[in-house]
Structures are given as structure tokens and as C-alpha cells.
Amino acid sequence: MAYDKCIEVSEEIWKEFEDRKPEEITARTGVLYQEEGYHLPFLDRTLLLFPARRRVQVAGAPEAEPGFRVCLTALMYLLHLDPAGLGPGISPLELPGGATFFRGHHGLPGGLLEGRFGQDATGFLIAGKKLHGEIKPAGDAALALEVFPSLVVEVILWQADDEFPAQVSFTLPAHLDRFWFLDAVWGLLNLVTQELLLAAAGEPS
């Protein structure tokens, strides 16, 4: 079953907020809590999360559908992640268990980006800048995307040439596995991929 909409996030995840005080979440993440909602920076926009109403909105666009991946990852950030406990960027394969987990169905989503940007490094950087990404000196083109506060995913592109196909690799913060299971990490990488492709297509993300 493909999950597309925010409403499809499990009720059990929302219920976790019932045992959490806003003061704990804001102290841990630094996210603003105001008028019964969390104001969470997300790439080039801000999400408004209202646990009591089981609702996520995009600030300035309340009728927009944030999408399942956005909502789930945002909720996991607020509930479980401590930005102070994250380390420097490493490959997802370097996370404990990552080399085994990120295979087959859970393979890293670089192939989608290779297909779109394998001969278009300029388009890759333009898409990243739309998402407020920082250009980095790696590969043929690289972007550091602050998905949520202090949660940075770097995407590195090597363009195709006469000898080698295009290649995309990712880095993310060391110790992320202390807060999230690897399937949530995989979801984060898929979210970043989705956002880059939407930005390149000129669609609202």
C-alpha cells in the first residue's frame, strides 16, 4: 500500500504526544511552540503541527497537502530526535546495521536522482537552492540540505561520462540511529529525494 497523505500517519504516533509535554520537546529540539502548535522549519518552508487536532499544515498555505513522508518524518523529529546528540556526516551505510539494511526494498534512493540529474549538475544545484540548500565542494555537485533544524543531509552527485554512469551518494549525521530506527532514516532519504525532484520539476513541494 502506498501512503501519500498526512492523514494516513498512524494514530499510534500521534498518541505519543499525549505523554509528552511541549516544554520537553521545545527544550530538546529548540522548536517554537505557540497556540497549541509546533512551528517546525522544514527546508524552504515552515510546518505547523497540532497534535491535539492531528493536523499538519504548511505555514502560509493551510490548504496544501504536506504529504505522508513530510508529516511522518516531522513527527518523528519532534518525538524522538535530540539534535545535540548528532555527530558529523557519514554514509548511511556506516550506521550500525546500515550496510545490511539499505539493500533491496530498502535500497538507497540515489537511482532516482541519478536518472534525473545524471547529466544535469546545474539543474541539481538549482533545485537544491530552491530548498535553501548549501552548495558543497564534493563530487561534480553537492548540496547540504537542512531538512529540520540541525538535521542535515548531504547529497553528492557525480555526472555520467563516457566511462562511468552517474552516481549519487548521501551523508547524514552520525548517531542518528540512536534516535530513529533505520526505516525512519530510509524515509528521510526518500523525503530528500522527493523534495529535490519536485523542486526540479517546478512543482510545489
Side-chain angles (χ1 to χ4, degrees):
M1 179 178 177
Y3 294 98
D4 298 316
K5 296 183 178 181
C6 197
I7 197 172
E8 295 171 304
V9 172
S10 169
E11 179 72 11
E12 295 303 312
I13 293 175
W14 285 109
K15 284 183 177 179
E16 289 189 53
F17 282 96
E18 296 174 3
D19 299 323
R20 305 293 183 88
K21 293 183 178 180
E23 294 82 3
E24 181 273 321
I25 293 176
T26 58
R28 173 169 43 81
T29 64
V31 172
L32 174 67
Y33 183 78
Q34 193 173 55
E35 298 178 354
E36 299 186 345
Y38 296 93
H39 295 237
L40 176 61
F42 167 62
L43 294 172
D44 61 329
R45 69 215 84 135
T46 297
L47 302 176
L48 307 177
L49 298 97
F50 302 98
R53 292 155 49 189
R54 306 293 198 263
R55 184 165 176 80
V56 180
Q57 297 177 352
V58 179
E63 301 305 317
E65 167 58 56
F68 177 81
R69 285 178 179 155
V70 172
C71 293
L72 178 60
T73 310
L75 293 172
M76 295 295 290
Y77 178 89
L78 291 177
L79 286 167
H80 300 296
L81 201 137
D82 182 357
L86 298 175
I90 61 172
S91 165
L93 302 176
E94 294 180 87
L95 293 173
T100 301
F101 181 85
F102 294 114
R103 293 180 176 182
H105 173 70
H106 290 113
L108 298 176
L112 294 171
L113 298 176
E114 291 160 3
R116 171 60 183 84
F117 299 113
Q119 296 182 318
D120 186 16
T122 299
F124 172 73
L125 295 177
I126 290 172
K129 290 183 75 174
K130 288 181 181 179
L131 301 175
H132 294 178
E134 178 186 356
I135 296 175
K136 305 292 284 186
D140 291 319
L143 294 162
L145 297 164
E146 188 170 23
V147 184
F148 300 116
S150 299
L151 180 54
V152 177
V153 174
E154 190 168 322
V155 187
I156 306 164
L157 169 70
W158 287 266
Q159 292 191 108
D161 59 27
D162 293 338
E163 295 185 59
F164 300 102
Q167 182 180 346
V168 165
S169 65
F170 301 92
T171 73
L172 41 70
H175 314 315
L176 184 55
D177 58 292
R178 295 179 180 175
F179 309 107
W180 287 358
F181 292 118
L182 292 180
D183 57 350
V185 176
W186 181 69
L188 171 69
L189 297 175
N190 279 279
L191 174 59
V192 168
T193 297
Q194 167 189 293
E195 293 294 315
L196 282 169
L197 293 173
L198 288 171
E203 299 178 19
S205 45

